Amino acid sequence: MKNLSFKELKALSDELRSDVVFNVSKTGGHLGSNLGVVELTVALHYIFNTPQDKILWDVGHQSYPHKILTGRRGKMKTLRQTNGLSGFTKRGESEHDSFGTGHSSTTISAGLGMAVGRDLKGRDNNVVAVIGDGAMTAGQAYEAMNNAGYLDSDMIVILNDNKQVSLPTANLDGPTPPVGALSRALSKLQSKRPLRELREAAKGMTKKIGGSMHRLASKVDEYARGMISGAGSTLFEELGFYYIGPVDGHNIDDLVSILKEVKSTRTSGPVLIHVVTEKGHGYHYAERAHDKYHGVVKFDPETGKQFKNISETKSYTTYFAEALIAEAEAHKDVVAIHAAMGGGTGLNLFQRRFPTRCFDVGIAEQHAVTFAAGLACEGLKPFCAIYSSFMQRAYDQVVHDVDLQKLPVRFAMDRAGLVGADGPTHCGAFDVTFMACLPNMIVMAPSDEAELFNMVATAAAIDDRPSCFRYPRGNGVGVSLPPGNKGVPLEVGKGRILREGERVALLGYGSAVQNCLEASSILDKRGLKMTVADARFCKPLDIALIRNLAKSHEVLITVEEGSIGGFGSHVVQFLALDGLLDGKLKWRPMVLPDRYIEHGSPLDQLAEAGLTASHIAATVLNLIGTPRETLYWK
Amino acid sequence: MRCYKGSSILATGHHPFFYKRPVSSLPASFPSTTLSYPTRNRFLSTRIQARLIHDDPVKQSEDLSFYDLLGVTESVSLPEIKQAYKQLARKYHPDVSPPDRVEEYTDRFIRVQEAYETLSDPSRRVLYDSDLSMGFSFSFSGRRRNRYHEEVVDEKSEWKKKWQTQLSGLKKRSNQRDNNSMSWAARMRRPHHTSEDSSS
């Protein structure tokens, strides 16, 4: 690739672009972001040499052209599937992927670490971190820039500015401007027309007046530039980055010239190149769509039409939004907060109905949580909708700002458990563990969509302490919904028994209850009637229910789609303290294994984790002494 | 000190900002522009000054901002913009305008359309708002559509000049950089740097 001429590079970009569209149309995945960085990727690989040089892609969802150019073109049809290529960068996948990403705003930090490591080891390579303007809204990016400016290591940060902050940067009715004051500042950087015309005018005028005035006017020009350029470039320069830009991100010639110059500059210190791109550039349908085809399922490249599955039930995300709207209609203090995920959390629906009661804070989960805490102080009922996996970032804020002060913030954690094609970076394995260990938090999980409506109502009613509930990715199971979408608050700390049986009891938490029901149907055919219970609450536990199950059954299995230390651990803690383990009871936990489950289809992942209905049934049979039967199942 | 207050000086002959076009008559429906910037009072005096120097009794539509053309406030929402535009388009469309005012109404119609195209696209609106806040109201030639957009495109050639300057600045700077610097990396970069362990 190094020997190509500029014209050939342009042709390469066009080919690469069609390759991306073609591949994503067959597998689904992220489209718009990848189309926006085709020229940038080509320019980077032309000038730099991975794996010695390090290129870091923030979030990683725009790394498809990078993967194609670094030897994985043939494998692109396995993208985001079991045993196939990851949808993000991954160190284990290729030596050209310098750093694993998935959550945003980490590349400047990692890049600085690599630059400093290189300096300490006396090496000579380049480090380039590509980060978007959306990821720039996160605090970590500034923490990293602050440190980079201080340490002064040579590194390049490419700010990929496509004016997209939230996902999607559109509400249900059309495009919206990106959220946050930073985006305005970046826009100002791009539009310097007034300055130019002013300078032309001033030059014209002073030339008429005479020589000394001309010099004075150019001084004026210097000052004017500083003032009128405003918050933008000065911000980066004050942080210690040399600012270059704006640059047209779809012009290969420009990109190559700039990168070449910067690469050849010794002792540059940290440099920030502000590249302006268009999300979805080069594919007609993506350019015009409000969401710029950020994430798509399989589609037809000719027409741009996606092949969406028609399902009888809606997603849990949609049900959550509908439930919250119903609560907000009943209580005017209900407000919703999310971190740049209006589409993913369903809150775009809420925003359309209550535009002044929905807050998108940009990619800033930590701020979102403390912001919600502040709202709760003033008597509002804040619902913080943050994915289980992204909540990890805001953990201290949950503990210190919310739980310690017992503020009634409600956390709605979508994408709990295994999430399918996005893989371990987005997997919500740990939320039960880290929420249930907090003294004041009420922790619950719905087993189906009707329960979700009720739990939203329950959370709205809990006004004296924080609460949270988790629900998985995917669609509802098809139970009937409460009238008017308005749930009924549940009694806190009370579970329910779904099927009566004997000898063996399955106590499920959250979506795992559905697998328990299926397992009980499997074993029913073999003549074993099991009890299936839905715990509903992990904190406070329904101790009456647990005592009852423990005393009237031989075997108790707790099932959850979470890591060790979660629901099962709380149950066994209680059993032990209550003396219920001192008798003949056999208790077994079924949790996610102690390793990261790779991306793949949800069913494959569940099987890999050992939590399918068959696995549950097999565990039961092992315990009551007929292991041979289990050999006949998959 | 704000440079653009010098617009009064510029009125003496050099007009980079205000594109003067002769207008045949003054429709009574033009709103008074002194009321048009409720949130921008600090620029009001400048604009009045500029108006007086122009010495023009006719309120020209070029002097109106896009918000004025649509008859809305600056904090208006997208559906309201759409509604205002539809009403005005129906009113000023050449096919329905009174015969003696066709040219003026057509001109107005085109401006209203331009205003709508800019204000209905959030990113262009943001750019326009920021220009407006700095006191530059670009009156556009009524003829060309997408003139605002084209100006954005023209900017790209401006960008190139800018970053070329920045690159040469970077080169110059890097020659001098580490001479006096005590930053961590500058110390690492010095050729006679010995390993960290030897310092006590």
Side-chain angles (χ1 to χ4, degrees):
Chain A
M1 196 188 132
K2 303 288 173 184
N3 299 328
L4 295 178
S5 70
F6 275 137
K7 219 161 72 169
E8 288 165 337
L9 283 179
K10 203 138 191 321
L12 175 62
S13 309
D14 292 335
E15 259 181 58
L16 191 53
R17 188 166 259 121
S18 352
D19 220 32
V20 166
V21 173
F22 174 72
N23 280 309
V24 177
S25 74
K26 298 264 166 291
T27 60
H30 293 102
L31 185 61
S33 49
N34 286 291
L35 294 176
V37 296
V38 165
E39 282 83 8
L40 179 63
T41 313
V42 168
L44 282 171
H45 280 288
Y46 183 71
I47 298 289
F48 297 105
N49 303 308
T50 54
Q52 292 79 20
D53 287 330
K54 310 287 179 201
I55 303 181
L56 295 90
W57 298 93
D58 200 272
V59 187
H61 63 316
Q62 81 288 56
S63 62
Y64 300 1
H66 161 80
K67 293 191 180 210
I68 294 176
L69 287 180
T70 51
R72 283 166 276 182
R73 185 178 187 196
K75 295 201 222 147
M76 285 299 285
K77 56 182 180 298
T78 65
L79 189 71
R80 292 167 65 90
Q81 291 150 50
T82 319
N83 297 325
L85 290 183
S86 160
F88 308 96
T89 50
K90 196 166 145 191
R91 280 171 62 83
E93 190 176 278
S94 159
E95 54 175 4
H96 297 277
D97 286 356
S98 326
F99 198 70
T101 46
H103 288 192
S104 95
S105 322
T106 52
T107 40
I108 307 183
S109 299
L112 181 62
M114 290 187 188
V116 167
R118 163 205 70 199
D119 289 344
L120 282 169
K121 293 246 180 184
R123 290 199 275 251
D124 200 16
N125 52 288
N126 294 96
V127 175
V128 181
V130 182
I131 181 170
D133 59 307
M136 269 303 194
T137 60
Q140 190 174 355
Y142 296 96
E143 292 174 15
M145 287 199 288
N146 184 36
N147 198 202
Y150 176 73
L151 291 175
D152 200 34
S153 269
D154 293 337
M155 68 177 286
I156 301 172
V157 171
I158 296 187
L159 172 57
N160 176 18
D161 183 359
N162 59 7
K163 294 203 201 322
Q164 302 284 311
V165 170
S166 309
L167 289 179
T169 305
N171 55 33
L172 294 168
D173 302 311
T176 55
V179 83
L182 175 71
S183 302
R184 271 204 306 268
L186 291 178
S187 288
K188 279 204 199 131
L189 278 174
Q190 293 182 37
S191 152
K192 290 303 200 59
R193 211 179 326 105
L195 172 62
R196 177 174 89 245
E197 298 212 15
L198 172 66
R199 282 161 70 198
E200 296 306 324
K203 277 192 192 138
M205 171 185 86
T206 56
K207 271 199 170 105
K208 280 190 206 155
I209 295 174
S212 61
M213 272 300 284
H214 193 58
R215 260 174 275 126
L216 179 63
S218 65
K219 272 275 177 260
V220 163
D221 176 41
E222 294 263 342
Y223 287 125
R225 186 209 317 253
M227 282 187 296
I228 296 183
S229 70
S233 62
T234 3
L235 169 67
F236 298 118
E237 294 189 329
E238 297 297 345
L239 286 174
F241 277 76
Y242 189 85
Y243 175 85
I244 295 177
V247 182
D248 181 357
H250 295 293
N251 183 327
I252 286 254
D253 305 339
D254 287 356
L255 289 171
V256 166
S257 321
I258 294 180
L259 289 173
K260 201 167 180 187
E261 275 297 308
V262 176
K263 177 181 179 181
S264 67
T265 307
R266 293 269 141 244
T267 72
S268 62
V271 175
L272 183 129
I273 306 178
H274 182 187
V275 172
V276 177
T277 60
E278 184 192 357
K279 191 165 183 175
H281 183 89
Y283 184 56
H284 176 88
Y285 299 105
E287 285 173 6
R288 276 154 188 69
H290 289 149
D291 72 342
K292 308 283 185 196
Y293 277 30
H294 166 79
V296 294
V297 293
K298 299 184 193 158
F299 65 95
D300 175 11
E302 305 276 311
T303 62
K305 284 229 169 335
Q306 297 187 45
F307 303 130
K308 292 211 162 142
N309 282 335
I310 320 280
S311 163
E312 298 202 339
T313 53
K314 303 188 214 174
S315 64
Y316 280 106
T317 311
T318 311
Y319 287 133
F320 164 65
E322 290 175 355
L324 195 60
I325 290 174
E327 290 306 313
E329 276 168 357
H331 307 284
K332 61 177 173 45
D333 286 336
V334 169
V335 294
I337 300 115
H338 65 94
M341 299 284 300
T345 55
L347 286 181
N348 270 345
L349 289 163
F350 186 87
Q351 207 231 352
R352 177 198 251 172
R353 176 76 187 79
F354 298 105
T356 56
R357 283 156 71 174
C358 186
F359 299 96
D360 176 357
V361 299
I363 303 180
E365 288 79 8
Q366 302 176 342
H367 163 70
V369 173
T370 310
F371 174 67
L375 284 168
C377 287
E378 293 301 305
L380 292 167
K381 294 176 190 268
F383 275 77
C384 233
I386 297 180
Y387 282 9
S388 162
S389 154
F390 300 158
M391 190 64 91
Q392 288 159 191
R393 230 171 227 211
Y395 191 50
D396 181 48
Q397 282 74 14
V398 174
V399 177
H400 180 273
D401 297 331
V402 175
D403 195 73
L404 180 56
Q405 300 182 98
K406 221 167 160 195
L407 287 170
V409 177
R410 293 86 169 155
F411 296 101
M413 293 181 292
D414 199 339
R415 308 307 200 259
L418 299 165
V419 292
D422 279 334
T425 54
H426 288 65
C427 172
F430 308 114
D431 61 280
V432 188
T433 308
F434 66 62
M435 285 301 205
C437 62
L438 301 178
N440 290 321
M441 181 73 69
I442 293 185
V443 183
M444 47 189 175
S447 52
D448 59 45
E449 59 272 36
E451 287 283 289
L452 175 59
F453 279 91
N454 293 335
M455 285 191 184
V456 173
T458 315
I462 299 174
D463 260 335
D464 61 335
R465 56 184 62 218
S467 52
C468 70
F469 50 95
R470 66 174 337 223
Y471 44 100
R473 184 174 199 243
N475 290 0
V477 299
V479 296
S480 51
L481 302 175
N485 285 342
K486 178 84 178 63
V488 173
L490 302 166
E491 196 185 334
V492 173
K494 279 268 161 301
R496 57 177 181 161
I497 295 188
L498 293 171
R499 270 185 207 169
E500 294 274 3
E502 48 186 23
R503 272 187 90 191
V504 178
L506 296 177
L507 182 57
Y509 182 66
S511 53
V513 169
Q514 301 300 328
N515 300 340
C516 293
L517 287 171
E518 215 187 301
S520 114
S521 305
I522 294 177
L523 289 181
D524 220 18
K525 298 197 198 94
R526 282 159 175 74
L528 175 59
K529 257 181 111 12
M530 296 195 292
T531 307
V532 179
D534 172 9
R536 281 183 174 157
F537 290 86
C538 175
K539 192 167 190 154
L541 283 172
D542 186 348
I543 53 183
L545 173 66
I546 296 176
R547 268 194 196 119
N548 175 7
L549 293 176
K551 288 187 175 148
S552 54
H553 295 78
E554 268 177 50
V555 172
L556 176 62
I557 303 182
T558 51
V559 192
E560 71 198 282
E561 211 173 298
S563 71
I564 189 175
F567 174 67
S569 305
H570 283 265
V571 170
V572 76
Q573 175 93 349
F574 167 72
L575 289 174
L577 292 175
D578 214 41
L580 296 165
L581 292 179
D582 303 347
K584 305 197 85 149
L585 178 69
K586 289 184 186 170
W587 170 81
R588 294 292 181 273
M590 290 190 76
V591 295
L592 288 175
D594 195 19
R595 60 179 189 278
Y596 293 101
I597 307 280
E598 294 302 326
H599 59 278
S601 78
L603 289 172
D604 287 346
Q605 285 190 324
L606 206 57
E608 169 73 24
L611 289 175
T612 59
S614 318
H615 284 102
I616 298 174
T619 312
V620 170
L621 288 181
N622 275 333
L623 283 173
I624 58 177
T626 53
R628 263 224 312 236
E629 279 215 35
T630 70
L631 290 174
Y632 293 103
W633 300 342
K634 11 176 200 56
Chain B
M1 174 190 121
R2 293 277 186 176
C3 298
Y4 54 76
K5 271 199 181 132
S7 61
S8 52
I9 308 170
L10 296 168
T12 50
H14 194 50
H15 288 286
F17 306 108
F18 299 106
Y19 186 94
K20 286 198 67 110
R21 269 184 72 251
V23 171
S24 47
S25 68
L26 172 65
S29 59
F30 272 127
S32 154
T33 51
T34 52
L35 298 177
S36 66
Y37 301 110
T39 59
R40 313 259 189 245
N41 285 323
R42 58 187 189 278
F43 304 123
L44 198 53
S45 54
T46 321
R47 300 200 61 79
I48 294 173
Q49 243 184 13
R51 268 313 111 58
L52 291 173
I53 287 164
H54 276 300
D55 192 23
D56 200 335
V58 173
K59 212 26 88 225
Q60 298 175 11
S61 56
E62 300 96 12
D63 296 345
L64 296 174
S65 77
F66 285 166
Y67 292 102
D68 296 333
L69 280 169
L70 290 176
V72 294
T73 63
E74 274 156 18
S75 50
V76 79
S77 67
L78 183 61
E80 287 169 317
I81 291 179
K82 279 186 181 152
Q83 196 179 28
Y85 167 64
K86 281 184 190 143
Q87 278 179 338
L88 290 171
R90 273 198 291 270
K91 180 173 176 194
Y92 288 115
H93 196 280
D95 295 343
V96 303
S97 56
D100 57 338
R101 286 171 148 191
V102 166
E103 192 195 302
E104 171 205 324
Y105 268 39
T106 311
D107 174 56
R108 181 81 162 180
F109 175 76
I110 293 172
R111 286 174 193 291
V112 161
Q113 176 146 57
E114 192 168 21
Y116 171 67
E117 276 170 9
T118 308
L119 295 182
S120 63
D121 177 348
S123 43
R124 280 166 66 180
R125 184 177 177 181
V126 162
L127 287 174
Y128 181 74
D129 284 349
S130 73
D131 282 347
L132 207 54
S133 71
M134 294 203 277
F136 298 110
S137 164
F138 284 94
S139 39
F140 296 91
S141 153
R143 296 282 165 244
R144 282 158 66 200
R145 299 202 171 185
N146 287 328
R147 163 89 191 253
Y148 203 83
H149 180 63
E150 281 173 8
E151 296 206 15
V152 169
V153 164
D154 286 338
E155 274 173 353
K156 297 215 167 149
S157 54
E158 283 301 308
W159 290 358
K160 187 158 182 172
K161 290 187 213 150
K162 216 187 325 170
W163 56 253
Q164 281 168 335
T165 326
Q166 288 162 337
L167 280 176
S168 51
L170 178 67
K171 275 254 147 10
K172 276 189 230 150
R173 190 183 87 141
S174 73
N175 291 333
Q176 304 295 329
R177 248 178 144 246
D178 280 354
N179 290 343
N180 298 316
S181 173
M182 282 310 289
S183 73
W184 181 90
R187 279 180 274 159
M188 296 299 285
R189 285 188 286 252
R190 287 205 185 101
H192 47 268
H193 166 78
T194 48
S195 79
E196 296 282 290
D197 298 336
S198 63
S199 59
S200 46

